[in-house]
Amino acid sequence: EYLSKKYRLGIVTGRPREEAYYVLNRFKVLEFFDAVIVMEDCNKKQKPDPFGINLAFKKLEVTNKKSAIYIGDNIDDIKAAKNAGIKAIGILQQDNNPNDNTSNSLKKLMVNNGAIKILDDINQLTSVIT
């Protein structure tokens, strides 16, 4: 809610429409997003292809990508942002322990693929971009 008051927000997911909207409605967050791009919108193009991100830009009427940031929790998200020509922030999934080897490997992989920052928790996001 806080971020939606300051920024135009969009979601790009490889999930089917029904599943994506179910989750967004269940957690009562759909209203905070100006664009929701789902699997069916992407013509079978999956991340790291930037198609979904670029479609979100069209729906959001973004003409200058300079200030855009894509936030993702896996390497294909980071690569898709890079392929779209925008900055990316990596978020470790909550089931990952930030001190385990898998998380450390994922952090390194995200940074090596262009992530400008890696966060251990989505709640750290407001301190990084506001």
Side-chain angles (χ1 to χ4, degrees), residues 6-78:
K6 295 183 84 171
Y7 305 100
R8 301 193 69 213
L9 303 178
I11 291 181
V12 178
T13 180
R15 301 286 184 196
R17 183 177 320 284
E18 185 176 338
E19 183 179 326
Y21 278 87
Y22 171 79
V23 171
L24 293 170
N25 285 313
R26 179 174 175 231
F27 290 101
K28 298 178 173 63
V29 295
L30 179 60
E31 68 184 286
F32 304 119
F33 295 95
D34 301 298
V36 178
I37 306 301
V38 297
M39 179 179 72
E40 292 89 339
D41 298 322
C42 292
N43 299 326
K44 298 187 182 190
K45 295 180 182 175
Q46 299 176 352
K47 294 180 259 179
D49 189 297
F51 183 87
I53 294 173
N54 290 325
L55 183 57
F57 284 140
K58 284 181 188 173
K59 286 192 175 199
L60 294 168
E61 299 178 352
V62 171
T63 55
N64 182 355
K65 296 193 230 179
K66 272 187 171 179
S67 62
I69 299 174
Y70 190 83
I71 297 134
D73 64 358
N74 67 62
I75 192 61
D76 282 342
D77 290 326
I78 305 305

Side-chain angles (χ1 to χ4, degrees), residues 67-113:
S67 62
I69 299 174
Y70 190 83
I71 297 134
D73 64 358
N74 67 62
I75 192 61
D76 282 342
D77 290 326
I78 305 305
K79 288 179 178 181
K82 184 177 182 179
N83 291 339
I86 61 172
K87 297 175 197 157
I89 293 176
I91 306 277
L92 294 179
Q93 295 179 20
Q94 288 190 351
D95 58 340
N96 285 340
N97 176 339
N99 298 315
D100 72 18
N101 287 336
T102 303
S103 291
N104 289 331
S105 295
L106 181 57
K107 284 181 186 180
K108 197 177 285 188
L109 195 56
M110 286 179 166
V111 168
N112 289 343
N113 280 277

